[in-house]
Amino acid sequence: MSGTPTGLALYHRTAEAAAAAVISRYSTSFALACRLLGPRPRPHVRNIYALVRVADEIVDGPGEDAGLDTTAQRRVLDDLERETYAAIESGFSSNLIVHAFARTARECGIGPDLIEPFFQSMRVDITTHEHDAASHDAYVYGSAEVVGLMCLQVFVNAERPGTAPAPAELVEGARRLGAAFQDVNFLRDLDFDEDALGRDYLGIENGPVGRADVLDRIDGDLAAAAVVVPGLPADCRRAVTAAHDLFAELSTRLRREGETARVRVRVPDPVKAGLAARAWLGFAPRGARTS
């Protein structure tokens, strides 16, 4: 049948489908935001998040549940990083998720300067259980900010000849949005992180930082990111706006719960749908300048 992919093209398509399946299983909110991306960046962003999720699962419970001790987790994570670099170099991996990511990295200019900090933060999860301000910031950079920067490389470079760095203001916005996402998730998952994983990312329990301080930092990061979203390529703005506004809503609900809240705050599906519709209609993110 004409038009049906074969050979390497079929393998590419299958790898992208595998990455999309990972995301749809793990995050309905992210899957919704991805659907708001245009067809140019959409598969690449899925490819990035699929590899990120696989690496995260090595150190966040499933690896241990499968019987891996910390030494084995480190070995599996190191193997995944080496395989990622090898796939970027060769253009092929027998691991479909790695293959999908490598294809995106090659096309969009994602290199070791972003990949290495990510894997280093994943290693930190194996060895470090309590964070101070400096280790928190380093961890968040590697685990979240660089993921935002990878996506920004996609937004700027996908399906375009050559690769170019993103403008400085978009780089800063991507970093701050990634940091806000991560801190919101830390607040939402306090009980699980402490009870199941034995980790304290924020230092709220025994340190000088309070819940309100973290929320103030989140809201500052979200406000800074909102200002630059209108400068993104048109086929990316809706998705980033929807994701931004979803986390802004989570921040609002977390603040409403008060200092001692331990429930995992979520946004009801009808509210999520409303935020997605607002983004689809072209509204700027909350806090963005509209003049």
Side-chain angles (χ1 to χ4, degrees):
M1 179 178 177
S2 62
T4 301
T6 59
L8 186 58
L10 177 58
Y11 195 79
H12 288 333
R13 186 80 60 87
T14 304
E16 289 182 354
V22 170
I23 295 309
S24 66
R25 290 286 185 177
Y26 274 95
S27 176
T28 56
S29 296
F30 180 73
L32 173 62
C34 267
R35 287 196 291 272
L36 296 178
L37 287 167
R40 177 186 67 90
R42 186 187 304 130
H44 294 295
V45 171
R46 287 171 172 162
N47 295 346
I48 290 168
Y49 272 85
L51 182 70
V52 166
R53 173 51 59 186
V54 170
D56 202 44
E57 292 300 270
I58 294 170
V59 299
D60 269 4
E64 184 178 359
D65 292 344
L68 302 183
D69 60 17
T70 56
T71 300
Q73 289 173 35
R74 172 64 183 259
R75 184 176 63 252
V76 171
L77 193 64
D78 289 349
D79 288 346
L80 181 63
E81 184 177 15
R82 281 192 292 269
E83 186 171 2
T84 299
Y85 292 135
I88 293 171
E89 178 68 24
S90 70
F92 185 84
S93 174
S94 59
N95 179 321
L96 287 171
I97 301 303
V98 172
H99 182 86
F101 177 87
R103 188 172 180 227
T104 289
R106 287 162 64 93
E107 179 175 332
C108 301
I110 298 170
D113 60 316
L114 299 180
I115 299 168
E116 184 177 340
F118 169 73
F119 278 99
Q120 181 54 35
S121 280
M122 295 302 97
R123 290 187 190 94
V124 167
D125 272 337
I126 300 173
T127 59
T128 303
H129 301 289
E130 294 186 5
H131 289 267
D132 58 19
S135 65
H136 163 274
D137 291 351
Y139 179 85
V140 168
Y141 175 74
S143 65
E145 292 179 33
V146 297
V147 178
L149 294 175
M150 291 179 194
C151 291
L152 184 58
Q153 285 295 103
V154 167
F155 297 161
V156 171
N157 293 313
E159 294 187 7
R160 291 173 180 162
T163 59
E169 65 273 13
L170 295 184
V171 169
E172 177 68 10
R175 289 188 61 179
R176 296 193 71 171
L177 191 59
F181 288 177
Q182 187 68 292
D183 276 342
V184 166
N185 285 330
F186 288 157
L187 279 179
R188 295 177 77 205
D189 294 335
L190 276 175
D191 278 348
F192 178 80
D193 287 341
E194 291 177 10
D195 298 341
L197 302 177
R199 298 176 191 156
D200 179 6
Y201 292 104
L202 296 171
I204 288 176
E205 292 300 316
N206 301 308
V209 177
R211 184 183 177 92
D213 298 315
V214 176
L215 285 165
D216 288 345
R217 182 171 70 219
I218 289 167
D219 289 347
D221 285 337
L222 288 171
V227 171
V228 302
V229 169
L232 291 171
D235 57 356
C236 307
R237 289 180 211 142
R238 290 169 173 168
V240 177
T241 295
H244 173 282
D245 287 358
L246 173 62
F247 277 81
E249 179 66 22
L250 284 166
S251 178
T252 298
R253 289 169 182 261
L254 283 162
R255 196 181 291 275
R256 191 181 301 152
E257 292 293 325
E259 283 286 337
T260 60
R262 307 294 291 189
V263 297
R264 191 177 197 277
V265 172
R266 64 179 300 274
V267 176
D269 288 344
V271 177
K272 286 183 187 177
L275 294 173
R278 181 181 180 279
W280 179 256
L281 291 171
F283 287 93
R286 294 181 184 180
R289 291 192 295 263
T290 56
S291 59

